[in-house]
Each structure stands twice: as C-alpha cells, then as structure tokens.
C-alpha cells in the first residue's frame, strides 16, 4: 500500500482495496502543485516526468489529502507499483465499501426490484474510471494525469465539490508504469541531441509493447489482470475513458462516439451514453477554445477487444480520446497543407457537423495535448456528477434488459464440455471468463440439451446474465460486416481496426456449443478460478506416459528435460497417440511437483516403453529480437515461453552475423515480421549521408543484412532448424530460396482478404510438427502467408503440415477469395541441407492467445 497512514482491509474487495480510516475534513493547504513538485509545468517542451517520480508525487498527495486514496493493485511486469487513485469527498471515501456494494447491485441487478433500484440509485455514487499512459510513447497522458488528480482534490469551486460529492473518480495514472519510465528515461537521455525524438528501440511494455491494449479479454499481462479485476469485478463503472494519442496530421482530438460500424449486441443505452459523454466533452472543449475536435470519426465502433472497446459488453460506456501527437515531448510545426482527413467520417480536413471548427496549423506541443485531455477528463466526471442518478438508473436498466435478451434470445446458453481434446485448455478458457466477471456454472450430472448429451462436469455459460453480449462475442461464431461502412468508394475492403473476429474459444481450440433451450440439470456456480492438480500413478516400473493432446504436457516435458529426466516420444498409434511423451529417470517428488505445476496426469505404463519412440534432449532454442521499436510478436512469444517453461536465448543482430550458430543452438525462431525489418532497411549499404540523417543512435540500429542471411543458411545446412511465424516466412522464401512460394503475396485485397479470421484447417497428425493436434482445427490468419510448391524437382523435400479446406473455409471473421487458398498449405516443413526450415504461415501463438495452435510451436522446438 502506498499511503503511510494507518490502513484497514476492506473485506468486500477481496483484499485488493486498502483504504485509510476516515480522518477529519482536512484543508488542502499542504498540497504541492505538479509544477512545484516537478519543477516544470506538465507538458513543458522537452520535459518528461517518469513513473518513479510521478508515483512519489501521488504518494505525497495521498498523505496530504483526505479526498484521495492511492491503492496498489499489484506489481507491473517489471515490478513497479501498479496503482489506482480513488478521488471523492472524505465522506464518500469513509464508506467506500458500502458504495461498492450498491454499485455491484446495479451492475448485476438480478434479484433487485425496480423500487429497490430507485432507492439504490438515490444513495449510490456514480463510478467513473479513466486511464492514462497505456501507450507509453504517447507521452502526454502520464503528465495529464498529475494535473487532473491535483485539480480533482484541490479545486474548491462548486463544480469540483459537486464532482467529489457525487462521483467515485477512479484514476489509473499510468496503465503501463514500466513504459512510462522507459520512455522518460530514453527521451531525457537524448534531449538536446539530434536523437532527442528518436523512438525507444525496444518494446515499451516488457512483452506486448503497443499491443498491451489488445489484452482486455485474455488478461495475460500482469497489468491487465490487475486492471481487469478492478473494472470487471470489484468496481464496474458506469463509464470508462482511455486517453491516447494518434498521428500528427489529422484532427487535434478525436472524442466519442465511435464511427461506423459498431459491433452490435451491446445494450443500446451504452452507445447513447457514449454520444452523451462525447457531446459534453465537445461542448466543454469548444467553449475553452480548443479547435479541430471531432467525434463520430476515425475509430470505428467495431474495434479490438481491448479495454475501451470491450467495456460496452460489460454494460460500461467504454470510450477513448485520441490527441494529435508531437514528437515525444518535442514540439512540431504543422503547416495547413499538412492537415488531412481521408479517414472514417472525415474525408477532408474541413468544418463539418462533428468538427465545426478546425485548427489552422502552427506549433503543436505536449502542453496542448495535456490541456485538451484535462478538459475531456474533467468533462467526463462533470457529466457524471450532474446526472448521477440517470447514469446509475441506466446501469440498472442495461443489466435488466441484457438479462432479458439473454433469457428470450435464440441462444440460451453456451455449453463447454469438460472432456474435450485438451481439457486443461478448456479450464483456461473458463478461468478467462471468471476473471472477466462472467458467471460460469458447472453441471453435476450429465444432461441433454438440443438433443445432444453433455457429460457431467460440463460448463454452462448462460446468456441470462448482464454480460451476455460479452459471452456472445467471446463464444459465438462471428461474421464481420461487409457493407458500405466497410468498403471504400472503389469497393476495396477497409481493414478492421484490429481483427475481424475475437471469438476466443476458436482461438483456444475449444468447442463451445450454442443451445436454444434452458439447461435442466443441477448447476453449481463457480466461485473461483479452476486449479487443476495433476495426478501421478503408482510406479509400475516402466515409467509414465503424458498425453500429447495437452498443451501443458509440453510444459511438463520442458521442465523434466531441464531436470535431466529421460523423455521420449512415441511415433505411431499402437496403443498411443503419436507424439505421446514417455518419462523415466526422475524421482517421485520431482514428478509430483511437475504434476502440481502443470495440472498434467502422469499415467503409469503397464508395459515396457515401446520401441517406436525417439529420445528428446534438452533443446537449445534461440529467438530473434530486433531494435527499431521491437516486435510485439516476439514479445508475446517470450511471454508464452515463460508461461510454458520453454528455455530460450534472445538472439540479436550482432550474434547472428557472427555466425557459428550451430555451436550454441539447435533451433532459431523468427517471429512474424517483415523481411525488410529483419534485414535492415538499407541492409549493409548505409552511406555517410544516411548516418547524418538517421533518427536512432548508431548502437540501436537494427538489421542483420547479408551477413546474417549467410549465417542462417549455414546454420540450417549444418543441421539446424529455422522456424518462421506468419510473414517472417518471406525471408526464408526470398533469401534462403526454399522451394515454396506464398500464393497470396501479390493479390489485391478485392481478390484475397483475411484480416484476422479463423479458418478451417486440416492437420497431418502423423507429421511430428502436428503431433497432438486434432485432425481438423482452426488457424488465425492475419497478414500471413499461404504456400504451394514452386518447383517440381524438390517436392520430396517439402512436407505439408497443415492445409486449408477446399471450401467453406471461414469459421469466423471476414474472408474474400477463398478459392486462392483452398487446399493450399498453411504450414510446411522443408528439408534444407542437413537441417530444415519450418514455415508456419499464420501466427500459431498470436498474442499468447491462440492456444489451439500452440502445439505447432512446441513440436517445432522438440522434434529431433
């Protein structure tokens, strides 16, 4: 806990929220302004406060004021305090647990009568959450938060008092504290040099970088887990705003509501409230003389399932603001002819209904961004204070109506059988829902629904709950709209903001069956995440077998190999599944610990281990990492490897170019990336002129060039394995000249289009790289590659691992031109000298979310 005052545990917040006992109503005379504390105004040219100093400022405010409580929710990925700041009147903070309970009754109003809801709305306080600095290179928001927090507790005017009296104002001052510190340190190191506005060379979040806002449903990152618990379970706000920055040459600020298309099925009141908040923002901004502010534009309502786009399906008015950027904290000068539209609902940069005034150009500074973000943030809590009871009543209505829609809708529930191909991954999907505040129940006995029998232990996710629309988008088959909102004037498809589907069970390889009737069997509501304890059979003297169908069996294998155990893999189906692991040579206590950690059952072999198996050795794995801002696909893969205890070494340009890679590694992974980024834009031919105008310091310039290609070729020819994810296959095709070609490489979008869609795929489960996969599953294709043989004289060197179906390939998302990939290879393995190149044409580990294809990665690392 950050505050130094005596603290007590608030029982109803599950140990997350610690609050000081209410003290006297203190004068705020001891408060320092941000400018006094930091020595410069927030947003001042060429100045940035990092998280460590910002956190110290919030600690000082917390000690001096009875109008705020700073709560440490946990630690960031790199161990920094991850905090929320609760701002309200001292009287409200003294009864915060009572207010949380009232808020929870409105968020899930099942069992609450209309009369009770009216009474609760009269007593409760509006709850607003606003987050800052998620994308750390968007530097203004972390600075804005300091002034917003100070103003919220220090201002004594009628408006400020009304807000404190009527609103629980929850501020996330940095949703990515690690990145806030990284960017500040980097910028201030180079300020005053020709590199002062250069980008951070590596990811500004340990694993995800800019992708950290794509984790609003999987909740893989520690930061996402802390924030998700706060917003999805402990405090379900009526509104949430995430403050961002965008490119420099468009509108000065994009405010709610979103542009078309919207993702439907949220309660309509959510979308009306976004317009309501946006209108209030726009009015306040225009009144303050802020020009170039636009709503209903640029960012579509069908976005990724990050926090501000997923919250409408939690019945929260989830919104964002997007300010025009400077160059980190360095001001820029914009000429009028540099200001453009050419975006959704903003075809030109001219006055329009949703942007009645335009910014004329001139100097643009971080201070400009701070001022407009402050107005937007303040207007949000101002509206909540003025219309508190309406917002609270709306929350009740949204919950009641969504429950009713789920009760009467065509789909009454989704049933997730416990006994599936990979039951441990089934439980991970269930836990994801529980972490999101979705009610999941489990059947105590077998039952029949829609004429199908489901076994005891199956999970039932009812649609008769307030978050039914979240359930629909996470489990229901999805088709992205193909209409005038999603095509340009030449009929070219407009890329979705992120993926065209976020159907999470499809990502995870888990079946979720929609049922059109109520499930008539006794169901137990899950109160806590599932924790599987693996079992170890009594030793029959022949060792143990682990099922290759379980992702976590691979984790167990990696752990055991690291401990010196003997691990073999079965190669045919005589009593086993090809790829099953055979384990011996390890103590019972070691097995018990691995079973506990992984949830995998160790089944005793009742007979001698079969001869049709081969031994594994501890793998020597390297994964390429570059500078140039980093590569989030590499970062997510690191997170996945850490979760599954995969040993690996990070491989940078210099080490690749040094050569002799076989001496240290068996397998090298190239995460999905362009060949240009991996090689370096100018390869090995940089000139003195390039040096003069380069943006980044010389030691952080990336690209392994021709020397690196030569070293990788030698590595594979001498017996190494090169594995490429997604579009990284381009490098193997073009530089190593493997005998395949990417059949979608030059197709225009009208002829082929798969912007993040799940596609039906056949897997050759006799191929060691597909061991443990189902015969048919799904691959998530977004910006990847699809292969066919490019020559007739080396066909014997190519093994096809996965193939798209011949028709009806789309499961969810948006697919144009399926004929171009019908019966074409999604993944291949190519013999190359004494080694091989494995090209996985889609991202099998996409954002650490696509558990259904993780085995392709693991097998590529273990197949020896």
């Amino acid at each position: 806990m950050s505050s130094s005052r005596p603290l007590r545990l608030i029982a109803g917040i599950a140990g997350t929220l610690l609050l000081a006992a209410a003290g006297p109503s203190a004068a705020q005379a001891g408060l320092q302004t941000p400018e006094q504390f930091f020595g410069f105004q927030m947003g001042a040219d060429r100045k940035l406060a990092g998280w460590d100093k910002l956190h110290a400022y919030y600690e000082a405010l917390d000690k001096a004021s009875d109008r705020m409580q700073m709560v440490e929710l946990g630690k960031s990925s790199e161990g920094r305090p991850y905090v929320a700041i609760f701002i309200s009147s001292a009287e409200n903070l003294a009864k915060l647990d009572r207010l949380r309970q009232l808020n929870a009754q409105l968020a899930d109003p099942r069992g609450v009568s209309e009369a009770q809801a009216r009474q609760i709305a009269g007593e409760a306080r509006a709850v607003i959450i606003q987050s800052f600095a998620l994308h750390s290179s968007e530097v203004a928001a972390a600075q804005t938060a300091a002034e917003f927090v100070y103003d919220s507790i220090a201002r004594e005017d009628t408006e400020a008092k009304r807000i404190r009296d009527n609103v629980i104002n929850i501020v996330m001052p940095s949703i990515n504290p690690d990145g806030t510190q990284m960017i500040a340190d980097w910028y201030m190191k180079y300020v005053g040099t020709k590199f002062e506005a250069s980008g951070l060379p590596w990811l500004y979040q340990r694993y995800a970088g800019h992708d950290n806002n794509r984790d609003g449903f999987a909740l893989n990152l520690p930061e996402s887990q802390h924030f998700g618990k706060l917003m999805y379970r402990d405090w379900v706000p009526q509104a949430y705003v995430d403050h961002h920055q965008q490119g420099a040459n468009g509108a000065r600020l994009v405010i709610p509501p979103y542009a078309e298309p919207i993702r439907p099925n949220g309660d309509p009141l959510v979308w009306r409230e976004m317009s309501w908040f946006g209108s209030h923002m726009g009015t306040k901004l225009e009144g303050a003389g802020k020009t170039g502010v636009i709503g209903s534009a640029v960012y579509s309502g069908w976005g990724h399932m990050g926090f501000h786009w997923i919250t409408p399906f939690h019945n929260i008015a989830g919104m964002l603001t997007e300010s025009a950027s400077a160059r980190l904290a360095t001001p820029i000068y914009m000429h009028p002819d540099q200001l453009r539209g050419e975006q959704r609902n903003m075809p030109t940069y001219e006055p329009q209904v949703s942007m009645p005034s335009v910014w004329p150009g001139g100097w643009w500074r971080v201070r400009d961004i701070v001022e407009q973000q402050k107005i937007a943030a303040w207007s949000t809590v101002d509206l909540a204070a003025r219309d508190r009871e309406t917002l609270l009543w709306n929350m009740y209505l949204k919950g009641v109506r969504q429950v009713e829609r789920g009760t009467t809708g065509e789909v009454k529930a989704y049933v997730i059988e416990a006994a599936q191909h990979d039951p441990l991954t089934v439980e991970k999907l269930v836990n994801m829902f529980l972490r999101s505040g979705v009610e999941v129940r489990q059947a105590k006995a077998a039952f029949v629904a829609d004429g199908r029998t489901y076994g005891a232990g199956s999970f039932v996710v009812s649609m008769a709950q307030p978050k039914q629309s979240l359930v629909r988008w996470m489990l229901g088959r999805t088709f992205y709209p193909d209409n005038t909102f999603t095509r340009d004037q030449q009929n070219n498809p407009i890329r979705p903001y992120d993926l065209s589907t976020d159907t999470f069970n499809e990502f995870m390889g888990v079946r979720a069956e929609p049922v059109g009737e109520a499930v008539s069997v006794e169901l137990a509501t899950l109160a806590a995440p599932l924790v599987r304890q693996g079992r170890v059979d009594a030793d029959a003297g022949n060792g143990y077998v682990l099922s290759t169908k379980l992702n976590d069996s691979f984790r167990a294998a990696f752990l055991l190999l690291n401990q010196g155990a003997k691990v073999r893999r079965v190669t045919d189906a005589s009593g086993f599944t090809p790829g099953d692991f055979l384990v011996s040579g390890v103590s019972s206590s070691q097995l018990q610990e691995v079973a506990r950690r992984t949830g995998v059952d160790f089944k005793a072999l009742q007979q001698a281990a079969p001869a049709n198996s081969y031994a594994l050795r501890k793998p020597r794995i390297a994964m390429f990492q570059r500078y140039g801002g980093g590569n989030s696909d590499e970062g997510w893969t690191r997170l996945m490897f850490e979760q599954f205890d995969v040993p690996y070494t990070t491989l940078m340009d210099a080490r690749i170019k040094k050569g002799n890679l076989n001496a240290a590694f068996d397998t090298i992974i190239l995460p999905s990336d362009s060949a240009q980024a991996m090689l370096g834009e100018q390869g090995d031919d940089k000139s003195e002129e390039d040096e003069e105008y380069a943006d980044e310091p010389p030691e952080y310039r990336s690209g392994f060039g021709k020397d690196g290609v030569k070293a990788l070729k030698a590595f594979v020819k001498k017996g190494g394995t090169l594995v490429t994810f997604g579009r990284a296959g381009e490098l193997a095709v073009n530089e190593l000249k493997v005998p395949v070609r990417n059949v979608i490489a030059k197709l225009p979008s009208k002829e082929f289009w798969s912007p993040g869609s799940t596609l039906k795929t056949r897997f050759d489960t006799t191929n060691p790289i597909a061991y443990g996969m189902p015969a048919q599953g799904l691959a998530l294709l977004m910006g990847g590659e699809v292969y066919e043989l490019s020559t007739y004289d080396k066909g014997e060197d190519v093994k096809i691992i996965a193939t798209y179906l011949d028709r009806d390939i789309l499961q969810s998302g948006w697919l144009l031109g399926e004929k171009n990939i019908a019966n074409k290879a999604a993944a291949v393995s190519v013999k190359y000298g004494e080694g091989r190149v494995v090209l996985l044409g889609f991202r099998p580990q996409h954002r650490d979310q696509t558990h259904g294809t993780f085995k392709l990665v693991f097998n590529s690392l273990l197949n020896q």
Side-chain angles (χ1 to χ4, degrees):
M1 179 65 195
S2 303
S3 175
S4 62
R5 291 179 293 186
L7 303 175
R8 58 185 176 85
L9 179 67
I10 301 299
I13 313 181
T16 299
L17 188 57
L18 296 175
L19 298 172
S25 179
Q28 309 301 305
L31 299 179
Q32 281 187 294
T33 68
E35 188 169 357
Q36 290 170 332
F37 186 89
F38 293 99
F40 56 86
Q41 186 183 45
M42 296 290 94
D45 291 353
R46 297 177 172 84
K47 297 288 187 181
L48 280 180
W51 175 246
D52 296 344
K53 192 72 181 287
L54 285 164
H55 181 253
Y57 179 58
Y58 297 130
E59 284 188 310
L61 293 182
D62 191 25
K63 291 175 183 177
S65 176
D66 60 357
R67 295 171 178 172
M68 71 171 274
Q69 296 290 341
M70 183 164 69
V71 178
E72 184 170 314
L73 304 179
K75 298 296 184 184
S76 69
S77 293
E78 296 188 358
R80 289 184 173 84
Y82 188 85
V83 305
I85 296 173
F86 288 70
I87 300 171
S88 196
S89 68
E91 293 75 18
N92 286 338
L93 291 177
K95 57 180 181 180
L96 202 57
D97 191 49
R98 167 64 177 168
L99 295 174
R100 185 199 64 81
Q101 293 171 4
L102 294 173
N103 190 71
Q105 288 180 278
L106 296 176
D108 186 352
R110 287 175 292 180
V112 177
S113 69
E114 184 172 322
Q116 289 172 319
R118 291 283 187 193
Q119 184 176 357
I120 292 170
E123 180 184 353
R125 299 294 180 264
V127 179
I128 303 295
I129 298 180
Q130 299 192 69
S131 58
F132 299 82
L134 184 143
H135 289 153
S136 305
S137 59
E138 300 165 8
V139 299
Q143 317 301 297
T144 302
E147 286 197 6
F148 178 59
V149 169
Y150 174 81
D151 288 350
S152 296
I153 62 176
R155 279 177 52 175
E156 296 288 0
D157 54 274
T158 301
E159 187 175 77
K161 291 178 180 178
R162 179 170 58 240
I163 292 170
R164 288 193 293 268
D165 287 343
N166 288 281
V167 179
I168 307 300
N169 177 11
I170 304 176
V171 178
M172 303 297 295
S174 175
I175 205 169
N176 179 17
D178 297 338
T180 298
Q181 189 64 45
M182 283 185 216
I183 292 286
D185 288 344
W186 174 263
Y187 179 79
M188 296 309 296
K189 176 181 178 180
Y190 290 103
V191 73
T193 75
K194 66 179 179 179
F195 305 125
E196 82 169 31
S198 63
L200 191 72
W202 47 83
L203 297 173
Y204 56 65
Q205 197 287 332
R206 183 184 184 95
Y207 304 107
H210 196 79
D211 259 6
N212 59 347
N213 66 336
R214 269 64 169 176
D215 195 39
F217 60 98
L219 303 178
N220 277 312
L221 302 171
E223 294 87 347
S224 303
Q225 293 166 13
H226 304 324
F227 191 32
K229 184 175 186 299
L230 174 78
M231 186 157 65
Y232 299 158
R233 291 183 283 159
D234 292 347
W235 291 88
V236 182
Q238 284 75 60
Y240 164 63
V241 184
D242 194 15
H243 296 281
H244 285 259
Q245 290 172 220
Q246 59 174 354
N249 65 343
R252 295 301 90 190
L253 178 64
V254 179
I255 60 174
Y258 297 110
E260 304 295 349
I262 67 168
R263 190 190 295 252
N265 296 108
D267 188 271
L269 271 174
V270 168
W271 301 99
R272 295 295 188 184
E273 286 172 339
M274 292 181 203
S275 296
W276 187 24
F277 277 102
S279 179
H280 197 60
M281 284 184 198
T283 301
K284 292 290 187 180
L285 287 156
E286 208 71 51
K290 302 302 180 184
T291 57
V293 177
I294 193 167
S296 303
V298 185
Y299 298 92
S300 74
W302 189 307
H304 58 71
M305 285 302 197
F307 290 108
H308 63 77
W309 263 309
I310 201 171
T311 38
F313 309 109
H314 289 267
N315 297 326
I316 300 165
M319 298 166 281
L320 85 163
T321 69
E322 290 273 359
S323 296
S325 293
R327 298 179 65 226
L328 295 181
T330 300
I332 60 174
Y333 190 90
M334 300 293 294
H335 291 275
D337 63 349
Q338 293 178 282
L339 301 173
R340 299 186 180 91
E342 302 171 4
Q343 293 177 289
R344 292 179 192 269
N345 286 11
M346 190 173 69
T348 61
Y349 190 74
E350 294 177 349
Q352 57 187 80
V353 169
S354 57
M355 186 174 65
S357 65
V358 297
W359 183 67
W363 282 105
W364 186 250
R365 294 179 157 85
V366 172
R367 182 62 201 174
D368 296 314
I369 306 171
V370 168
E371 289 176 0
Q372 63 186 19
Q373 286 182 341
K374 273 181 58 181
I375 295 167
W378 191 269
S379 70
T380 302
V381 289
D382 176 57
L383 185 147
R386 293 174 186 271
D387 291 283
R388 173 181 62 86
E389 290 196 41
T390 299
L391 274 177
L392 293 169
W393 180 246
N394 282 358
M395 197 68 173
Y396 170 77
L397 291 178
K398 288 180 286 190
V400 167
R401 291 171 179 177
Q402 289 292 75
V403 171
E404 176 65 19
R405 292 182 183 105
T407 302
T408 60
E410 182 178 348
V411 176
K412 302 295 190 297
Y414 287 89
V415 179
I416 306 169
E417 286 188 281
Q420 294 196 33
H421 185 83
D422 184 347
L424 293 182
T425 298
V426 169
E427 294 182 5
K428 291 176 183 178
L429 173 64
V430 168
N431 287 342
M432 183 274 290
F433 275 108
L434 295 174
R435 291 197 302 270
S436 295
V438 173
E439 183 181 85
V440 182
R441 294 181 289 175
Q442 191 168 23
K444 295 186 176 181
F447 63 94
V448 176
D450 285 355
R452 176 173 176 174
T453 300
Y454 295 92
S458 293
F459 303 98
V460 177
V461 188
S462 172
M463 295 295 280
Q465 59 177 304
K467 299 186 181 186
Q468 64 92 9
S469 59
L470 179 66
V471 176
R472 180 264 173 271
W473 291 115
M474 297 294 100
L475 296 181
R477 193 178 184 190
T478 297
F479 297 105
Y480 190 79
D482 186 351
N483 55 35
T484 55
F485 290 137
T486 60
R487 299 268 190 161
D488 65 19
Q489 292 182 348
Q490 289 73 45
N491 204 38
N492 296 302
I494 300 171
R495 181 169 295 281
Y497 192 81
D498 192 56
L499 308 181
S500 56
T501 185
D502 292 286
T503 316
F504 208 61
N505 68 296
E506 295 176 6
F507 289 7
M508 298 185 75
V510 174
R511 296 191 316 277
E513 303 292 343
V515 296
E517 61 182 79
V519 175
S520 56
V521 68
E522 185 178 359
L523 300 170
T525 300
L526 298 179
L530 302 165
V531 179
R532 175 77 70 97
Q533 296 286 334
R535 300 186 306 274
V536 180
D537 287 350
D539 188 359
N542 299 305
Y544 299 86
V545 61
L546 308 181
S547 172
T548 191
K549 295 179 180 179
L550 306 178
N551 284 343
D552 287 289
S553 288
F554 290 84
R555 182 185 180 199
F558 287 120
L559 288 167
L560 291 165
L561 287 167
N562 192 53
Q563 296 173 18
K566 295 179 180 178
V567 183
R568 302 182 67 85
R569 297 197 81 179
V570 176
T571 58
D572 68 34
S574 55
F576 298 89
T577 299
D580 279 349
F581 296 93
L582 307 175
V583 178
S584 61
V586 66
S587 70
S588 175
S589 61
Q590 287 174 298
L591 293 177
Q592 292 287 350
E593 175 60 17
V594 171
R596 184 193 66 79
R597 288 179 63 179
T598 64
V600 172
D601 292 337
F602 286 73
K603 297 181 180 179
L605 283 169
Q606 301 303 317
Q607 57 197 32
N612 55 341
S613 63
Y614 59 90
L616 297 177
R617 63 180 183 272
K618 183 179 177 180
R620 301 182 305 164
I621 302 162
M623 181 162 56
F624 175 58
Q625 182 185 97
R626 63 166 170 82
Y627 291 128
N631 174 10
S632 60
D633 197 57
E634 180 270 336
W636 286 119
T637 308
R638 275 189 282 112
L639 179 60
M640 170 194 168
F641 281 2
E642 291 176 20
Q643 290 171 341
F644 283 88
D645 290 289
V646 177
Y648 71 96
T649 298
T650 291
L651 195 63
M652 302 295 289
D653 293 326
R655 179 62 186 91
I656 291 180
K657 290 192 283 189
K658 186 178 177 182
N660 194 26
L661 296 167
N662 302 80
F665 312 115
D666 302 312
T667 303
I668 294 175
I669 301 165
L670 300 180
S672 186
D673 205 357
S674 70
Q676 183 181 39
M678 289 185 281
L679 294 170
E681 260 189 32
Q682 296 156 324
D684 300 322
D685 304 319
K686 292 177 180 173
S687 67
E688 291 184 11
E689 184 178 347
D690 296 326
E691 180 78 15
E692 179 68 23
Y693 293 100
D695 288 333
E696 68 280 349
E699 62 270 32
Y700 296 112
R701 294 173 195 166
S702 200
F704 52 70
K706 296 174 184 177
D707 289 342
V709 170
K710 183 178 178 181
L712 290 174
K713 283 183 179 179
F715 167 74
V716 182
K717 286 183 176 180
K718 291 178 183 178
T721 297
L722 180 67
V723 182
T724 67
F725 298 160
R727 62 179 184 153
E730 174 189 11
L731 186 135
V733 171
N734 294 341
E735 302 296 333
L736 273 63
K737 308 299 182 185
V738 294
V740 297
R741 71 181 187 92
N742 175 16
V743 301
I744 61 173
K746 297 181 180 180
L747 295 179
S749 59
K750 286 181 186 178
E751 294 184 28
F752 183 77
W753 188 244
S754 177
S757 305
T758 50
L759 307 182
K760 298 171 189 174
T761 308
R762 293 189 301 270
F763 297 97
D764 178 4
T765 58
T766 66
N767 187 306
I769 295 181
Y771 278 169
M773 292 293 293
Q776 183 172 316
L778 298 170
L780 178 66
L781 184 63
M782 179 183 71
E785 303 192 332
V786 181
Y787 303 110
E788 70 176 7
L789 202 67
S790 61
T791 179
Y792 293 107
D793 61 347
K794 293 186 178 180
E796 70 277 10
D797 292 341
V798 179
K799 304 297 181 186
I800 296 176
I801 301 162
T803 308
Y804 294 115
L805 298 195
D806 59 346
R807 65 179 66 186
D808 300 324
I809 299 171
L810 179 66
Q811 177 66 24
S812 285
W814 192 10
L815 178 65
L816 303 177
E818 76 163 21
K819 66 180 181 180
N820 293 293
I821 64 170
N823 280 322
K824 295 293 192 289
V828 298
S829 175
V830 182
K831 184 177 182 299
Y832 195 90
E834 296 300 314
R836 61 179 178 162
V837 180
V838 178
L839 298 99
L840 305 175
F842 54 94
R843 300 182 191 181
Q845 59 1 320
H846 179 76
R847 293 177 181 155
D848 194 26
Q849 296 170 359
T850 51
H851 292 246
T853 47
F854 280 2
K855 295 181 187 72
L856 299 175
V857 178
F858 299 146
N859 282 320
S860 298
L861 308 179
L862 284 176
N863 182 43
Q864 300 174 28

